[in-house]
Amino acid sequence: MKQRSRRLMALMIAATMTAGSVAVVPVAAEDDPYKQAEAAADDPYKQAEEAADDPYKQAEAAADDPYKQAEAAADDPYKQAEAATDDPYKQAEAAADDPYKQAEAATDDPYKQAEAASDEEEALDGIVPSADAKYTISVTEDGWIKVENEGGDTLGLAADSAVKLLEVDGYAFKDMNQNGELDKYEDWRLSTEERAADLAGQMQGEEIAAVLTHGGWGDFTTEPLTEDDGSYTYLMQGGRGGVTRSISQGGAAHAKWANAIQAVAEQSFYGIPAMLSIDPSNISGMVETLSLASTMDTELAAEIGQETAKEYRAAGVTALLGPQVDIASPIMSRAGGTYGEDPQLTLDIATAYVNGMQSTYDENGEDLGWGNESVYCFTKHFAGAGATEGGRDDHGNGGRYAVFPGNNLEAHLITYFDGVFNLPGKTDSSGIMTEYAIDVDADGNPYGGEWAGAYNPYLNGMLDEAGFDGLKITDWSVFTFAGVWGAEDLEEADRVATGWENGVNLLGGYNDIDTAKEAYGIMVDRDGQDKADEIMRAAAEKFVGTMMNLEMFEQPYSDSAYAESIITTGDSSEFAKEGQRESIVMLKNDGTISENGAVSEKPTVYVPYVYNTGWSATWTQGISEGTPSWTPGMDLDKLGQYFNIVTDTLGDPTGEADADGNATYTKDDLTRASEEEIAACDYVLVGMSGAYVNSYDSRIEGAFGGDPVPDDVEEEWYPASLQYGEYVADNAIETSISGKILEDGTKENRSYKGQAAHEVANYGDLEALQYASEAAGDVPVIVSMKMERGMVWSEVEPLADVILVNYNQQREDIVAEVILGQTEPTGLLVFQQPVDMETVEAQLVDVPRDMECYKDAAGNTYDFAFGLNWSGKIEDERTAKYTAEPLTKVQNFDYEAYEAANK
């Protein structure tokens, strides 16, 4: 108790209080010992003339610290003087001179009222609330202070916080701006709208500019932040947001890091808490994106959303950069993060998931609306990023354009206006993240002009027209290198200003506070002071209002022990495994596996290694030849729990040295298991990854460490491919829909007609299957395919007796359960599987489900919403709903009228 009390004293000793309606804050500077002199030698906090004035920093030795310099209490500057004049708390002749004694009764000051308290536990070393107080104070195991108001909000403060408590009408409030008064934004009894307007109204434009950046953080740590930590520096400058990539460090560790960030945020810039955002991370193994979509189970989506939010909040995360609700084309490079290609399915899964994420629920499952287990969602990417030309990644110039040859942009808006902007629960609407690409119609005309999503007046105007009042965050680095399309000729500060003027609020991935402030100045010069401030304050109201809804202004701290108890790292929770079981799709089964179980209790399986060249063409690294590798197609340790394993023998690498001088693997460095060894197995189990090579251009440059493309390299465009074997795009369109206007006035042609796709890096997957199938003889061949889109199955299906699809990642545990007859597959395809690449080229990238699909030896067509269970083809309520004609029209927004008015 004494140790806890000492931590509590760090807050209490300097607190300013209001009891009832009697203000105990001094009205004049001379009454406050902290203000009465510029160089008051009597006050240990004012004794020095420079930054070293703080007794906690000014000394090289502990002896210089007034709280450490004495061996006896008499050496304490608050006790050492014989005369009252030596002690700033005793030097006044009248009680009015001491802000801690000016009240008529000791009960008005909770820091002095307990002198007669005999119960040390109750008094917390002589510190208790007033006699009329309606709150209690305690110190948590994590060291932060918890203040619980009767029938009101719970407050949290750092143990050494400069923020003080105010008591009004018996309740406790945080003096977040440290002015000694209860401001409206500090009053948790008021509405979010009233509080947010009050705070935004107090802030200066440059202060808001800093707060709206979202580019933290520094190094991950479980210790308090030091002044040279990147997070500390960013927070003290006013930054209040950033993405975390460290949830895998564990619940307790992440919670401690989040607490350290909030402790610094509490000290400055009106005490505004920090927003820690995260990309979808499959926390505790819970299925998301394609895996979740393949269940076509909205109840499961809602449950996973609710549980995911609970775990994120336990770790200190308050916002999700997702879900990704792009309606994906068959060749979209980022398809793995979506819910597939169908507007209705995406609408249903996203709405249920976001509603579950954003609401807090009571113990009976009642929706309470916003609360301390809510996570704010930035649904992305508004709108149309699933139709990038060639499926290219829109982080880079190659994916500069999303094209709509079917003039079907409206279908890509359905999930927003008919779903996540009209949630069935009490949180009403999600936020959005802008897209990188420029949207272009069938005739090559950009919607809203040659502007990427963060700057685009057409897309942002649509949100304004619909009355959207959620937060808008840009995708990452749109002011520096990705998604600057249309704004390349602007200076960086002008880009930021243009984004704000066109409606964005938070600057995703941006931490240059000086430039953000400069952008505000540009708006003042360009739009006038009043308009600039109106833009900034509207954005600030949305941001701080969101954090108030999440109850972060009152209690931003996490319980690390609780976080550790509910977050599973390195494995999956039992709840998560139920979702994984529902996500497995069975495409083919000749009777090899069934509900009757396997041929033995622990069958023997042959699992071949697969070869990967390591080649890639990405926006992060540019074109990279990579490092060749041999790896088992599936995790042998996990499979070993269910099967006896036979596999190949990998020798030492004999290939050319890599950049570090280490030899690399070649195809000759592996010895396959013999036909005799394979014939003795019960099954062959081949783990594969879907056939895919992305479309790219020869001048693609890496943003992180990629070598610059030589100036003399002529730009060429290459097609995507969904097959392992060679593909030449002879049937591609002659002239691309999109293209920049070049200096000579002509339009750039981004067509890849006649070009060969690069060899897929994982062609070795097919080679492994070919060997295994040939060597297997009568041994059944099972393929476990990890997928993120469709593929051409003519190379694979004839060689397999059973095909199981795992979206996003191999799930060895669940695949084993299916083979052993313990789990019945119920998942369904969320992408059509094309018959060949010619039909892929003929497909309109903005129009879902418009391809001829592959038909297997059993006569089954691998179409959207197809899947098998033990009885055969699945036909249920899900398939009836999702095989209907794809949606094309928005119900809750008159898009046709908007389009006609804004051509």
Short mmCIF file of all heavy atoms in Angstrom, two decimals, residues 504-558:
data_model
loop_
_atom_site.label_atom_id
_atom_site.label_comp_id
_atom_site.label_asym_id
_atom_site.label_seq_id
_atom_site.Cartn_x
_atom_site.Cartn_y
_atom_site.Cartn_z
N VAL A 504 -10.15 15.76 -46.74
CA VAL A 504 -9.55 14.77 -45.86
C VAL A 504 -9.32 15.38 -44.48
O VAL A 504 -9.22 16.61 -44.35
CB VAL A 504 -8.23 14.19 -46.42
CG1 VAL A 504 -8.45 13.53 -47.77
CG2 VAL A 504 -7.15 15.26 -46.51
N ASN A 505 -9.25 14.54 -43.48
CA ASN A 505 -9.04 15.02 -42.11
C ASN A 505 -7.67 14.64 -41.59
O ASN A 505 -6.85 15.50 -41.30
CB ASN A 505 -10.11 14.45 -41.17
CG ASN A 505 -11.52 14.70 -41.65
OD1 ASN A 505 -12.37 13.82 -41.58
ND2 ASN A 505 -11.81 15.89 -42.15
N LEU A 506 -7.40 13.34 -41.46
CA LEU A 506 -6.13 12.85 -40.91
C LEU A 506 -5.15 12.56 -42.03
O LEU A 506 -5.52 12.02 -43.08
CB LEU A 506 -6.36 11.60 -40.07
CG LEU A 506 -7.31 11.73 -38.88
CD1 LEU A 506 -7.40 10.42 -38.11
CD2 LEU A 506 -6.88 12.86 -37.95
N LEU A 507 -3.88 12.84 -41.77
CA LEU A 507 -2.81 12.64 -42.76
C LEU A 507 -2.14 11.30 -42.48
O LEU A 507 -1.24 11.18 -41.66
CB LEU A 507 -1.79 13.78 -42.68
CG LEU A 507 -2.37 15.21 -42.62
CD1 LEU A 507 -1.23 16.23 -42.55
CD2 LEU A 507 -3.27 15.48 -43.82
N GLY A 508 -2.58 10.27 -43.18
CA GLY A 508 -2.09 8.92 -42.93
C GLY A 508 -0.61 8.77 -43.22
O GLY A 508 -0.13 9.15 -44.30
N GLY A 509 0.13 8.19 -42.27
CA GLY A 509 1.55 7.93 -42.47
C GLY A 509 2.40 9.18 -42.53
O GLY A 509 3.53 9.13 -43.02
N TYR A 510 1.90 10.28 -42.02
CA TYR A 510 2.60 11.56 -42.17
C TYR A 510 2.95 12.12 -40.80
O TYR A 510 2.09 12.26 -39.93
CB TYR A 510 1.71 12.55 -42.92
CG TYR A 510 2.46 13.74 -43.47
CD1 TYR A 510 3.22 13.63 -44.62
CD2 TYR A 510 2.39 14.98 -42.85
CE1 TYR A 510 3.91 14.72 -45.14
CE2 TYR A 510 3.06 16.08 -43.35
CZ TYR A 510 3.83 15.94 -44.50
OH TYR A 510 4.50 17.02 -45.01
N ASN A 511 4.23 12.43 -40.59
CA ASN A 511 4.65 12.95 -39.28
C ASN A 511 5.48 14.23 -39.36
O ASN A 511 6.09 14.63 -38.37
CB ASN A 511 5.43 11.88 -38.52
CG ASN A 511 6.72 11.48 -39.22
OD1 ASN A 511 7.11 12.07 -40.22
ND2 ASN A 511 7.38 10.46 -38.69
N ASP A 512 5.47 14.87 -40.52
CA ASP A 512 6.22 16.12 -40.68
C ASP A 512 5.35 17.27 -40.18
O ASP A 512 4.59 17.89 -40.95
CB ASP A 512 6.62 16.32 -42.14
CG ASP A 512 7.57 17.49 -42.33
OD1 ASP A 512 7.61 18.38 -41.44
OD2 ASP A 512 8.25 17.54 -43.36
N ILE A 513 5.45 17.54 -38.90
CA ILE A 513 4.56 18.53 -38.29
C ILE A 513 4.85 19.94 -38.78
O ILE A 513 3.94 20.76 -38.97
CB ILE A 513 4.65 18.41 -36.76
CG1 ILE A 513 3.96 17.11 -36.33
CG2 ILE A 513 4.01 19.61 -36.06
CD1 ILE A 513 4.07 16.78 -34.87
N ASP A 514 6.10 20.26 -39.02
CA ASP A 514 6.43 21.59 -39.52
C ASP A 514 5.78 21.85 -40.87
O ASP A 514 5.25 22.94 -41.12
CB ASP A 514 7.94 21.76 -39.63
CG ASP A 514 8.62 21.88 -38.27
OD1 ASP A 514 7.92 22.24 -37.29
OD2 ASP A 514 9.83 21.62 -38.18
N THR A 515 5.81 20.84 -41.75
CA THR A 515 5.20 21.00 -43.06
C THR A 515 3.68 21.05 -42.95
O THR A 515 3.02 21.77 -43.70
CB THR A 515 5.64 19.86 -44.00
OG1 THR A 515 7.06 19.85 -44.09
CG2 THR A 515 5.06 20.04 -45.39
N ALA A 516 3.12 20.30 -42.01
CA ALA A 516 1.67 20.36 -41.79
C ALA A 516 1.26 21.76 -41.36
O ALA A 516 0.23 22.30 -41.82
CB ALA A 516 1.26 19.33 -40.74
N LYS A 517 2.06 22.36 -40.49
CA LYS A 517 1.77 23.74 -40.07
C LYS A 517 1.91 24.70 -41.26
O LYS A 517 1.12 25.65 -41.41
CB LYS A 517 2.71 24.15 -38.95
CG LYS A 517 2.48 23.42 -37.63
CD LYS A 517 3.49 23.86 -36.58
CE LYS A 517 3.25 23.17 -35.25
NZ LYS A 517 4.25 23.57 -34.23
N GLU A 518 2.91 24.46 -42.08
CA GLU A 518 3.09 25.29 -43.27
C GLU A 518 1.88 25.17 -44.19
O GLU A 518 1.45 26.16 -44.80
CB GLU A 518 4.36 24.86 -44.00
CG GLU A 518 4.69 25.70 -45.21
CD GLU A 518 5.92 25.20 -45.96
OE1 GLU A 518 6.65 24.33 -45.41
OE2 GLU A 518 6.13 25.65 -47.11
N ALA A 519 1.32 23.97 -44.28
CA ALA A 519 0.14 23.76 -45.12
C ALA A 519 -1.04 24.58 -44.62
O ALA A 519 -1.81 25.14 -45.41
CB ALA A 519 -0.23 22.27 -45.13
N TYR A 520 -1.17 24.66 -43.31
CA TYR A 520 -2.23 25.52 -42.74
C TYR A 520 -2.01 26.97 -43.17
O TYR A 520 -2.96 27.67 -43.55
CB TYR A 520 -2.24 25.40 -41.22
CG TYR A 520 -3.06 26.47 -40.53
CD1 TYR A 520 -4.44 26.47 -40.62
CD2 TYR A 520 -2.43 27.50 -39.82
CE1 TYR A 520 -5.20 27.46 -40.01
CE2 TYR A 520 -3.17 28.50 -39.20
CZ TYR A 520 -4.56 28.48 -39.30
OH TYR A 520 -5.30 29.45 -38.69
N GLY A 521 -0.78 27.42 -43.13
CA GLY A 521 -0.49 28.78 -43.56
C GLY A 521 -0.84 29.02 -45.02
O GLY A 521 -1.32 30.10 -45.39
N ILE A 522 -0.62 28.01 -45.85
CA ILE A 522 -0.99 28.13 -47.27
C ILE A 522 -2.49 28.31 -47.40
O ILE A 522 -2.97 29.12 -48.21
CB ILE A 522 -0.50 26.89 -48.04
CG1 ILE A 522 1.03 26.92 -48.16
CG2 ILE A 522 -1.14 26.81 -49.43
CD1 ILE A 522 1.61 25.67 -48.78
N MET A 523 -3.25 27.55 -46.61
CA MET A 523 -4.70 27.69 -46.66
C MET A 523 -5.14 29.08 -46.21
O MET A 523 -6.08 29.65 -46.77
CB MET A 523 -5.37 26.62 -45.80
CG MET A 523 -5.30 25.22 -46.38
SD MET A 523 -6.52 24.10 -45.64
CE MET A 523 -6.02 24.11 -43.93
N VAL A 524 -4.49 29.61 -45.19
CA VAL A 524 -4.82 30.96 -44.73
C VAL A 524 -4.59 31.96 -45.86
O VAL A 524 -5.44 32.83 -46.13
CB VAL A 524 -3.98 31.34 -43.50
CG1 VAL A 524 -4.16 32.82 -43.16
CG2 VAL A 524 -4.38 30.49 -42.30
N ASP A 525 -3.46 31.85 -46.54
CA ASP A 525 -3.15 32.77 -47.64
C ASP A 525 -4.11 32.58 -48.82
O ASP A 525 -4.51 33.56 -49.46
CB ASP A 525 -1.71 32.54 -48.13
CG ASP A 525 -0.69 32.95 -47.08
OD1 ASP A 525 -1.04 33.73 -46.17
OD2 ASP A 525 0.46 32.47 -47.16
N ARG A 526 -4.46 31.35 -49.08
CA ARG A 526 -5.25 31.04 -50.27
C ARG A 526 -6.76 31.20 -50.03
O ARG A 526 -7.49 31.66 -50.92
CB ARG A 526 -4.94 29.61 -50.71
CG ARG A 526 -5.52 29.23 -52.06
CD ARG A 526 -4.71 28.14 -52.70
NE ARG A 526 -4.72 26.87 -51.97
CZ ARG A 526 -3.78 25.93 -52.10
NH1 ARG A 526 -2.74 26.14 -52.91
NH2 ARG A 526 -3.85 24.80 -51.44
N ASP A 527 -7.22 30.81 -48.85
CA ASP A 527 -8.65 30.76 -48.60
C ASP A 527 -9.13 31.80 -47.60
O ASP A 527 -10.34 31.97 -47.42
CB ASP A 527 -9.04 29.37 -48.07
CG ASP A 527 -8.57 28.25 -48.97
OD1 ASP A 527 -8.74 28.38 -50.20
OD2 ASP A 527 -8.03 27.26 -48.44
N GLY A 528 -8.20 32.45 -46.91
CA GLY A 528 -8.56 33.38 -45.86
C GLY A 528 -8.55 32.71 -44.50
O GLY A 528 -8.73 31.49 -44.39
N GLN A 529 -8.34 33.52 -43.47
CA GLN A 529 -8.22 32.99 -42.11
C GLN A 529 -9.47 32.23 -41.67
O GLN A 529 -9.40 31.13 -41.13
CB GLN A 529 -7.96 34.13 -41.13
CG GLN A 529 -7.69 33.68 -39.70
CD GLN A 529 -6.30 33.12 -39.51
OE1 GLN A 529 -5.33 33.78 -39.86
NE2 GLN A 529 -6.20 31.92 -38.98
N ASP A 530 -10.65 32.83 -41.92
CA ASP A 530 -11.89 32.22 -41.45
C ASP A 530 -12.12 30.86 -42.10
O ASP A 530 -12.49 29.89 -41.42
CB ASP A 530 -13.07 33.14 -41.72
CG ASP A 530 -13.06 34.39 -40.85
OD1 ASP A 530 -12.30 34.40 -39.85
OD2 ASP A 530 -13.78 35.34 -41.18
N LYS A 531 -11.92 30.78 -43.41
CA LYS A 531 -12.16 29.51 -44.11
C LYS A 531 -11.14 28.46 -43.69
O LYS A 531 -11.50 27.28 -43.46
CB LYS A 531 -12.08 29.73 -45.63
CG LYS A 531 -12.36 28.47 -46.44
CD LYS A 531 -13.77 27.94 -46.20
CE LYS A 531 -14.07 26.74 -47.08
NZ LYS A 531 -15.43 26.18 -46.82
N ALA A 532 -9.89 28.86 -43.57
CA ALA A 532 -8.86 27.92 -43.14
C ALA A 532 -9.17 27.36 -41.76
O ALA A 532 -9.06 26.15 -41.52
CB ALA A 532 -7.48 28.58 -43.16
N ASP A 533 -9.56 28.24 -40.85
CA ASP A 533 -9.89 27.78 -39.50
C ASP A 533 -11.15 26.91 -39.49
O ASP A 533 -11.26 25.96 -38.71
CB ASP A 533 -10.08 28.98 -38.57
CG ASP A 533 -8.76 29.66 -38.22
OD1 ASP A 533 -7.70 29.05 -38.46
OD2 ASP A 533 -8.79 30.80 -37.73
N GLU A 534 -12.09 27.23 -40.34
CA GLU A 534 -13.31 26.41 -40.44
C GLU A 534 -12.96 24.99 -40.88
O GLU A 534 -13.46 24.00 -40.32
CB GLU A 534 -14.27 27.04 -41.45
CG GLU A 534 -15.54 26.23 -41.67
CD GLU A 534 -16.40 26.79 -42.78
OE1 GLU A 534 -16.21 27.98 -43.16
OE2 GLU A 534 -17.26 26.06 -43.30
N ILE A 535 -12.07 24.86 -41.86
CA ILE A 535 -11.65 23.54 -42.34
C ILE A 535 -10.94 22.77 -41.24
O ILE A 535 -11.24 21.59 -40.99
CB ILE A 535 -10.73 23.70 -43.57
CG1 ILE A 535 -11.52 24.21 -44.78
CG2 ILE A 535 -10.04 22.36 -43.90
CD1 ILE A 535 -10.66 24.61 -45.95
N MET A 536 -10.04 23.45 -40.56
CA MET A 536 -9.24 22.76 -39.55
C MET A 536 -10.09 22.38 -38.34
O MET A 536 -9.95 21.28 -37.79
CB MET A 536 -8.07 23.65 -39.11
CG MET A 536 -7.10 23.98 -40.24
SD MET A 536 -6.44 22.52 -41.07
CE MET A 536 -5.27 21.97 -39.84
N ARG A 537 -10.95 23.27 -37.90
CA ARG A 537 -11.74 22.97 -36.71
C ARG A 537 -12.78 21.89 -36.97
O ARG A 537 -13.08 21.09 -36.09
CB ARG A 537 -12.38 24.26 -36.18
CG ARG A 537 -11.34 25.12 -35.47
CD ARG A 537 -11.88 26.41 -34.94
NE ARG A 537 -10.78 27.15 -34.28
CZ ARG A 537 -10.67 28.46 -34.25
NH1 ARG A 537 -11.59 29.21 -34.83
NH2 ARG A 537 -9.64 29.03 -33.63
N ALA A 538 -13.31 21.85 -38.19
CA ALA A 538 -14.24 20.77 -38.53
C ALA A 538 -13.53 19.42 -38.46
O ALA A 538 -14.07 18.43 -37.94
CB ALA A 538 -14.83 21.00 -39.92
N ALA A 539 -12.30 19.37 -38.98
CA ALA A 539 -11.52 18.13 -38.91
C ALA A 539 -11.18 17.77 -37.48
O ALA A 539 -11.25 16.61 -37.06
CB ALA A 539 -10.25 18.26 -39.76
N ALA A 540 -10.79 18.79 -36.70
CA ALA A 540 -10.44 18.55 -35.30
C ALA A 540 -11.63 18.04 -34.51
O ALA A 540 -11.49 17.13 -33.68
CB ALA A 540 -9.91 19.84 -34.67
N GLU A 541 -12.81 18.60 -34.75
CA GLU A 541 -14.01 18.13 -34.05
C GLU A 541 -14.26 16.66 -34.33
O GLU A 541 -14.62 15.89 -33.43
CB GLU A 541 -15.22 18.96 -34.47
CG GLU A 541 -15.29 20.32 -33.81
CD GLU A 541 -16.61 21.03 -34.08
OE1 GLU A 541 -17.67 20.35 -34.03
OE2 GLU A 541 -16.61 22.24 -34.34
N LYS A 542 -14.09 16.25 -35.59
CA LYS A 542 -14.30 14.84 -35.92
C LYS A 542 -13.30 13.95 -35.20
O LYS A 542 -13.66 12.89 -34.67
CB LYS A 542 -14.18 14.64 -37.43
CG LYS A 542 -15.33 15.20 -38.25
CD LYS A 542 -15.15 14.84 -39.72
CE LYS A 542 -16.27 15.39 -40.58
NZ LYS A 542 -16.12 14.97 -42.00
N PHE A 543 -12.04 14.39 -35.19
CA PHE A 543 -11.00 13.55 -34.59
C PHE A 543 -11.17 13.44 -33.09
O PHE A 543 -11.22 12.34 -32.54
CB PHE A 543 -9.61 14.09 -34.93
CG PHE A 543 -8.50 13.33 -34.25
CD1 PHE A 543 -8.29 11.99 -34.54
CD2 PHE A 543 -7.68 13.94 -33.32
CE1 PHE A 543 -7.27 11.27 -33.91
CE2 PHE A 543 -6.67 13.23 -32.68
CZ PHE A 543 -6.47 11.90 -32.98
N VAL A 544 -11.26 14.57 -32.40
CA VAL A 544 -11.37 14.49 -30.94
C VAL A 544 -12.71 13.91 -30.54
O VAL A 544 -12.81 13.21 -29.52
CB VAL A 544 -11.13 15.86 -30.27
CG1 VAL A 544 -9.73 16.38 -30.61
CG2 VAL A 544 -12.20 16.88 -30.64
N GLY A 545 -13.75 14.15 -31.34
CA GLY A 545 -15.04 13.55 -31.06
C GLY A 545 -15.00 12.03 -31.14
O GLY A 545 -15.61 11.32 -30.32
N THR A 546 -14.25 11.52 -32.11
CA THR A 546 -14.08 10.07 -32.22
C THR A 546 -13.39 9.52 -30.99
O THR A 546 -13.82 8.49 -30.42
CB THR A 546 -13.25 9.73 -33.47
OG1 THR A 546 -13.98 10.13 -34.64
CG2 THR A 546 -12.96 8.24 -33.55
N MET A 547 -12.34 10.19 -30.52
CA MET A 547 -11.63 9.72 -29.35
C MET A 547 -12.48 9.84 -28.08
O MET A 547 -12.36 9.03 -27.16
CB MET A 547 -10.33 10.51 -29.19
CG MET A 547 -9.37 10.33 -30.37
SD MET A 547 -8.80 8.63 -30.55
CE MET A 547 -7.52 8.61 -29.30
N MET A 548 -13.34 10.84 -28.03
CA MET A 548 -14.27 10.95 -26.91
C MET A 548 -15.28 9.81 -26.92
O MET A 548 -15.60 9.23 -25.88
CB MET A 548 -14.99 12.30 -26.95
CG MET A 548 -14.10 13.48 -26.60
SD MET A 548 -14.88 15.07 -26.96
CE MET A 548 -13.58 16.20 -26.46
N ASN A 549 -15.78 9.47 -28.12
CA ASN A 549 -16.71 8.34 -28.22
C ASN A 549 -16.08 7.04 -27.75
O ASN A 549 -16.76 6.17 -27.18
CB ASN A 549 -17.18 8.18 -29.67
CG ASN A 549 -18.21 9.21 -30.07
OD1 ASN A 549 -18.90 9.77 -29.22
ND2 ASN A 549 -18.32 9.46 -31.36
N LEU A 550 -14.79 6.92 -27.97
CA LEU A 550 -14.06 5.72 -27.55
C LEU A 550 -13.67 5.77 -26.08
O LEU A 550 -13.00 4.86 -25.58
CB LEU A 550 -12.81 5.55 -28.41
CG LEU A 550 -13.04 5.32 -29.91
CD1 LEU A 550 -11.73 5.39 -30.67
CD2 LEU A 550 -13.73 3.99 -30.16
N GLU A 551 -14.07 6.85 -25.39
CA GLU A 551 -13.80 7.06 -23.96
C GLU A 551 -12.32 7.19 -23.67
O GLU A 551 -11.86 6.95 -22.54
CB GLU A 551 -14.44 5.95 -23.10
CG GLU A 551 -15.95 5.89 -23.25
CD GLU A 551 -16.61 4.85 -22.36
OE1 GLU A 551 -15.91 4.21 -21.54
OE2 GLU A 551 -17.83 4.68 -22.48
N MET A 552 -11.56 7.63 -24.66
CA MET A 552 -10.13 7.79 -24.49
C MET A 552 -9.77 9.05 -23.71
O MET A 552 -8.74 9.10 -23.05
CB MET A 552 -9.43 7.80 -25.85
CG MET A 552 -9.51 6.48 -26.60
SD MET A 552 -8.64 5.17 -25.72
CE MET A 552 -6.94 5.70 -25.95
N PHE A 553 -10.61 10.08 -23.80
CA PHE A 553 -10.31 11.31 -23.06
C PHE A 553 -10.40 11.06 -21.56
O PHE A 553 -9.69 11.70 -20.79
CB PHE A 553 -11.27 12.42 -23.48
CG PHE A 553 -10.76 13.24 -24.62
CD1 PHE A 553 -10.63 12.70 -25.89
CD2 PHE A 553 -10.38 14.56 -24.44
CE1 PHE A 553 -10.16 13.45 -26.95
CE2 PHE A 553 -9.89 15.32 -25.49
CZ PHE A 553 -9.77 14.76 -26.76
N GLU A 554 -11.25 10.14 -21.16
CA GLU A 554 -11.38 9.85 -19.74
C GLU A 554 -10.36 8.81 -19.29
O GLU A 554 -9.66 8.99 -18.31
CB GLU A 554 -12.80 9.33 -19.43
CG GLU A 554 -13.83 10.42 -19.27
CD GLU A 554 -13.98 11.28 -20.52
OE1 GLU A 554 -14.37 10.74 -21.58
OE2 GLU A 554 -13.68 12.48 -20.44
N GLN A 555 -10.27 7.70 -20.02
CA GLN A 555 -9.45 6.58 -19.54
C GLN A 555 -8.73 5.93 -20.72
O GLN A 555 -9.26 5.02 -21.36
CB GLN A 555 -10.34 5.56 -18.84
CG GLN A 555 -9.66 4.72 -17.76
CD GLN A 555 -8.44 3.95 -18.28
OE1 GLN A 555 -7.36 4.53 -18.40
NE2 GLN A 555 -8.61 2.67 -18.56
N PRO A 556 -7.51 6.38 -21.03
CA PRO A 556 -6.79 5.85 -22.19
C PRO A 556 -5.87 4.67 -21.89
O PRO A 556 -5.19 4.18 -22.81
CB PRO A 556 -5.96 7.06 -22.65
CG PRO A 556 -5.62 7.74 -21.36
CD PRO A 556 -6.81 7.55 -20.46
N TYR A 557 -5.83 4.22 -20.64
CA TYR A 557 -4.81 3.25 -20.24
C TYR A 557 -5.32 1.81 -20.31
O TYR A 557 -6.52 1.54 -20.19
CB TYR A 557 -4.28 3.57 -18.85
CG TYR A 557 -3.56 4.89 -18.83
CD1 TYR A 557 -4.21 6.04 -18.37
CD2 TYR A 557 -2.27 5.01 -19.33
CE1 TYR A 557 -3.57 7.27 -18.40
CE2 TYR A 557 -1.63 6.23 -19.35
CZ TYR A 557 -2.29 7.36 -18.89
OH TYR A 557 -1.65 8.57 -18.94
N SER A 558 -4.38 0.88 -20.47
CA SER A 558 -4.68 -0.54 -20.60
C SER A 558 -4.22 -1.33 -19.39
O SER A 558 -3.27 -0.93 -18.70
CB SER A 558 -4.01 -1.12 -21.86
OG SER A 558 -4.47 -0.47 -23.03
#
